Amino acid sequence: MEKWTPKHEAPEPLEGPVVATITGGTILWFVLFLAQLPFYGWYADHDHEWWVWTCLAGAGLGLIGIWYVRKRDAAIRRSTSSPSGV
C-alpha cells in the first residue's frame, strides 16, 4: 500500500472569538442543568438522571475550558507583542 501524501497545502487554522464561544457553551450547559433540576424525580423514575449530571459536568468542564482559552489568548498576545516574536 502506498503512503498517503497530501496533494495540496493545508489551509491556515481559523481563529475566532474562542473565549466567547466557550463561555456561551458553558452558560448553555449550566442553564440546561438548572432547567432539568425541577424534573429530577421524573428523570430518576425513568433512569435518566445521568442527563442532569451530564449538564453539570459540561458546565464544570466549560469552566476549565474558559480558564484554558483565556491563558492561551494571553500567551498568543504576549508572543505577538514581543519584539523577538518568539
Side-chain angles (χ1 to χ4, degrees):
M1 181 184 270
E2 176 180 322
K3 184 177 178 183
W4 181 82
T5 56
K7 296 186 181 1
H8 52 81
E9 299 231 359
E12 290 293 318
L14 297 175
E15 288 294 331
V18 180
V19 176
T21 303
I22 302 299
T23 303
T26 302
I27 291 169
L28 180 63
W29 278 115
F30 191 68
V31 167
L32 288 172
F33 169 72
L34 292 177
Q36 290 179 350
L37 276 181
F39 306 104
Y40 187 80
W42 183 89
Y43 286 114
D45 292 343
H46 293 87
D47 292 327
H48 292 308
E49 315 89 349
W50 63 271
W51 288 11
V52 177
W53 302 119
T54 299
C55 292
L56 185 61
L61 291 172
L63 291 174
I64 295 170
I66 292 169
W67 172 80
Y68 179 82
V69 297
R70 289 186 68 188
K71 291 280 195 180
R72 177 182 174 268
D73 280 356
I76 290 170
R77 277 195 301 275
R78 273 194 313 271
S79 71
T80 57
S81 67
S82 67
S84 63
V86 176

